[in-house]
Amino acid sequence: MAAQRVPMLQWLISKGFMSADQANEATKMSQQTNSPIDKVIVQLGFAGEREVLQGKAQEMGLGFADLDRMSIDSSALNVVPERIVKNHSAIPVRKDGQTLYVAMKNSSNIAAIDDLRLASGCRVVPVLAVPGAIEDAIKKYYAASSSTPVDNTPAAAAAAANAPASRNFAQIMAEAGVKQGSDFEDIGNREDEAAADAAPIIKLASAIIQQAITDRASDIHVEPGSRAIRVRYRIDGVLMEAMTVPKNLMAPLISRYKIMADMNIAERRIPQDGRIEVRHGVKEIDLRVSSIPTPFGEKIVMRILDKSSVLLGLDSIGFTEENQLKIEELVSQPNGMFLCTGPTGSGKTTTQYSVLNILNTVGVNIITAEDPIEYQLNGIAQVQMNRKAGLTFATALRAYLRQDPDIIMVGEMRDLETAEIAIESSLTGHMVLSTLHTNDAPSATLRMIDMGVEPYLIAATIVGVLAQRLGRRIDSANKEPYDVTQMDLRRFGFNVTDPEALVTLYRGIPAENNRMTGYKGRTGFHELMTMNSELAELVVRRAPLNDLKEAAKANGMKELREDGLVKVLSGITTPEEVMRVVFTAGY
């Protein structure tokens, strides 16, 4: 039976390191600033870093290594090369048989644990230690070492980033060291947490994530069933089955992911959210984790967030030169509101961040209100909403007006109060970026009217609305031409001059490189509506959607299907893909 854990705050109070009043003050400060409670306690001077880490360690069921007051076992130091120790800032402190205890800054660093296990041949048990003490110990015990330096050359980085091709479950299980039918035969009789800490499950959980990143997946679905666990990857917007995991591994695998995401593994009845940080080659990847209860166990979905993707230019995420120039002109105005619309997963957030990346200069003050913060950008004040603490989009926006902002990004306009304050911000000399859930660009104005916003305010503030979708790109390395008649492209808005005349298009050739789909990567289909006097008058008069569409098209707006046609004729995608993501009933 595992030792009973005590919450960190309760432990610190019981040991006399801080008072109950100080604990309450730290909790409030943590909620207000959205900062980890342990860091807040140290910053306020209520307890030292060493004491806080001791409390955190026992709360997590981990050991604590007081490196300033203990000597490290030389047998532990000898089993791990210096380069691995320095790479991960993790130092072995004790070796007990085939178990190696390692002092680490982050006990959830799966890459470090895997490297240490493979190098030592031991089961690795992480323990917490003061980060500064870890660095001092590494300098002390490895000062005279002459190990081979870490290879940080571009060639080495490229080799690390190019992970092997897709592996099946049997290969991953073999690499993880799981003997099917034996290692976890009686898993139901163990404690989930102990099983989740077993080396094979750690390896398996990590391998599933790393393989998903290698396969360019945007999401990982771990779905318990009656007889097995199905693991699916969403690649280029389409879910594909990656592997099936035996049912007897469900409890430790789900528990492992919940531990990594800092979730409560004892709670299985309600949905939970968390976050995991991993390294893939030279990239740092964030995973946004969500769990929900199902009849067969908890389902885990992990959204993979690659920070490098938001640093791309607008041309790299599918914008035509014409649309890119228009957007850059619209958002460079001193005030107004620019909206991105589309369903969940249509790339709105990536577009907004790409726009912010263009606007982010030393002379501009940018503040965002997000729920959640998906990507962290240097030089921008990003604020995570916290409804439990009373920090909503509306309350955040009110505070922002006293922060001397030039540009404000609101993650999503969900209610009238948020919309009204966003409009007020744009009327008082700020550029506001936000998102809405609508099917096309002209519908955004009607959606805001439905929310209760006065039409004249919408007409006075909106400078542009961008509707978008994401579709799969043809694999440029494996594609072939084929011919269709002009009449076949009529539904996309093609200007038919001779119905029987042939037009050359391209399609992908199924290959192992594109998972036998013919597609590789995604591109955007965009519909950009810019506001002018005619459109503003129609909005004020509450004109129907068709009238708004016609006026927007007369002002130069190309519909989603027309932008899709441009990419079809350019050999970027296929008519079938435009049909799949753009066309809806009655279009």
Side-chain angles (χ1 to χ4, degrees):
M1 181 70 66
Q4 184 178 3
R5 301 180 186 180
V6 179
M8 180 184 67
L9 286 177
Q10 185 179 333
W11 185 87
L12 288 170
I13 294 170
S14 68
K15 296 294 182 182
F17 293 124
M18 63 187 299
S19 67
D21 289 341
Q22 289 175 326
N24 291 333
E25 184 179 344
T27 301
K28 290 179 182 177
M29 180 68 73
S30 174
Q31 292 172 344
Q32 291 171 358
T33 62
N34 196 35
S35 300
I37 184 70
D38 53 334
K39 293 184 179 178
V40 171
I41 292 171
V42 175
Q43 288 170 356
L44 293 175
F46 293 160
E49 187 176 20
R50 175 177 170 275
E51 290 75 24
V52 169
L53 278 171
Q54 279 184 284
K56 188 176 180 181
Q58 67 80 37
E59 180 183 56
M60 298 171 66
L62 300 175
F64 176 79
D66 192 347
L67 297 178
D68 292 331
R69 305 179 185 182
M70 65 178 286
S71 58
I72 294 178
D73 186 355
S74 60
S75 64
L77 294 171
N78 293 336
V79 297
V80 179
E82 178 188 357
R83 62 181 181 82
I84 292 179
V85 170
K86 290 185 174 180
N87 249 357
H88 297 296
S89 294
I91 185 167
V93 295
R94 184 164 67 89
K95 186 173 182 291
D96 184 4
Q98 288 302 108
T99 300
L100 185 67
Y101 295 87
V102 182
M104 304 176 65
K105 298 177 183 178
N106 179 7
S107 61
S108 298
N109 189 335
I110 305 303
I113 292 172
D114 284 348
D115 284 354
L116 289 159
R117 182 179 64 81
L118 292 172
S120 66
C122 298
R123 172 176 174 264
V124 174
V125 176
V127 298
L128 294 186
V130 175
I134 293 175
E135 297 298 335
D136 291 343
I138 291 173
K139 292 176 182 177
K140 174 182 176 181
Y141 288 99
Y142 290 94
S145 174
S146 58
S147 298
T148 305
V150 178
D151 188 354
N152 285 324
T153 62
N162 293 325
S166 297
R167 297 161 290 167
N168 59 32
F169 174 69
Q171 289 173 309
I172 289 178
M173 293 287 278
E175 292 174 15
V178 179
K179 299 176 183 177
Q180 297 186 55
S182 59
D183 281 47
F184 294 91
E185 194 68 40
D186 299 321
I187 201 71
N189 297 324
R190 305 185 189 181
E191 293 187 28
D192 288 352
E193 185 179 349
D197 286 336
I201 280 296
I202 291 176
K203 180 69 174 179
L204 175 60
S206 177
I208 289 173
I209 292 175
Q210 293 294 332
Q211 190 61 52
I213 299 171
T214 298
D215 289 348
R216 301 176 296 99
S218 61
D219 300 85
I220 304 170
H221 291 240
V222 182
E223 305 165 320
S226 59
R227 298 184 179 179
I229 307 170
R230 180 172 65 172
V231 178
R232 292 191 291 173
Y233 297 157
R234 187 177 293 279
I235 300 174
D236 297 334
V238 178
L239 277 173
M240 300 180 180
E241 187 161 327
M243 66 188 74
T244 300
V245 181
K247 178 74 172 181
N248 58 343
L249 299 185
M250 182 188 75
L253 183 60
I254 298 299
S255 293
R256 181 60 199 164
Y257 284 133
K258 292 177 72 175
I259 289 171
M260 292 169 67
D262 230 359
M263 295 178 177
N264 182 358
I265 67 168
E267 180 57 74
R268 302 181 180 89
R269 300 165 298 174
I270 60 175
Q272 295 187 63
D273 293 303
R275 204 175 191 109
I276 297 174
E277 293 183 2
V278 299
R279 181 175 289 275
H280 183 73
V282 296
K283 286 185 176 181
E284 289 185 359
I285 306 290
D286 283 346
L287 289 92
R288 201 172 70 206
V289 187
S290 170
S291 72
I292 59 171
T294 74
F296 302 110
E298 290 175 281
K299 175 180 176 177
I300 298 282
V301 174
M302 292 173 272
R303 168 66 57 87
I304 300 172
L305 304 171
D306 182 357
K307 297 177 183 179
S308 63
S309 66
V310 299
L311 301 179
L312 302 172
L314 294 176
D315 56 336
S316 300
I317 54 178
F319 283 93
T320 61
E321 184 177 356
E322 179 184 2
N323 279 341
Q324 181 179 342
L325 291 173
K326 284 183 180 179
I327 290 173
E328 290 176 353
E329 180 183 350
L330 290 173
V331 299
S332 63
Q333 297 182 39
N335 61 277
M337 185 182 297
F338 179 74
L339 300 175
C340 284
T341 75
T344 301
S346 60
K348 301 188 298 296
T349 301
T350 299
T351 297
Q352 292 277 32
Y353 276 110
S354 297
V355 169
L356 287 182
N357 195 49
I358 294 172
L359 300 173
N360 187 15
T361 62
V362 175
V364 176
N365 180 22
I366 302 176
I367 310 178
T368 74
E370 304 175 60
D371 187 19
I373 296 175
E374 294 195 3
Y375 303 95
Q376 294 179 345
L377 301 179
N378 292 329
I380 294 178
Q382 297 173 264
V383 181
Q384 167 73 51
M385 299 300 96
N386 188 336
R387 292 185 181 181
K388 291 182 180 179
L391 182 59
T392 64
F393 285 116
T395 56
L397 284 175
R398 285 195 186 93
Y400 291 177
L401 296 179
R402 298 188 292 273
Q403 288 284 318
D404 186 31
D406 296 298
I407 299 167
I408 298 173
M409 187 187 91
V410 185
E412 183 183 345
M413 282 201 289
R414 298 176 178 174
D415 52 48
L416 175 60
E417 187 179 14
T418 303
E420 286 180 336
I421 301 172
I423 285 174
E424 180 186 342
S425 301
S426 65
L427 288 172
T428 53
H430 307 93
M431 172 55 65
V432 178
L433 310 178
S434 191
T435 66
L436 277 175
H437 288 281
T438 63
N439 288 328
D440 54 32
S443 297
T445 59
L446 300 181
R447 173 76 181 95
M448 293 183 71
I449 291 174
D450 287 341
M451 290 168 63
V453 180
E454 290 295 333
Y456 73 91
L457 291 175
I458 298 171
T461 54
I462 289 182
V463 296
V465 181
L466 174 73
Q468 67 180 71
R469 302 288 190 279
L470 288 177
R472 291 179 292 179
R473 299 176 66 101
I474 297 171
D475 182 1
S476 58
N478 296 279
K479 68 178 184 179
E480 62 182 5
Y482 70 104
D483 293 329
V484 299
T485 64
Q486 289 187 7
M487 184 60 71
D488 291 333
L489 299 176
R490 184 178 180 182
R491 69 178 69 186
F492 299 97
F494 188 86
N495 183 22
V496 178
T497 55
D498 180 355
E500 299 303 318
L502 297 178
V503 179
T504 299
L505 306 180
Y506 287 85
R507 60 190 169 205
I509 301 172
E512 186 175 343
N513 185 51
N514 56 49
R515 300 180 67 89
M516 307 306 293
T517 64
Y519 296 100
K520 190 172 183 181
R522 289 196 285 179
T523 189
F525 306 136
H526 304 103
E527 179 177 284
L528 179 61
M529 180 183 81
T530 56
M531 191 64 74
N532 64 2
S533 57
E534 182 184 356
L535 272 167
E537 182 182 346
L538 289 172
V539 171
V540 172
R541 289 198 288 108
R542 300 175 185 258
L545 179 60
N546 284 338
D547 290 353
L548 290 172
K549 280 187 177 180
E550 291 304 318
K553 289 170 69 176
N555 191 37
M557 181 187 83
K558 287 186 172 60
E559 294 181 276
L560 286 165
R561 60 177 178 172
E562 295 175 303
D563 192 60
L565 176 64
V566 171
K567 277 134 190 165
V568 167
L569 296 175
S570 301
I572 295 173
T573 190
T574 63
E576 294 77 18
E577 193 62 13
V578 178
M579 284 280 293
R580 184 181 72 86
V581 301
V582 168
F583 281 74
T584 57
Y587 203 108

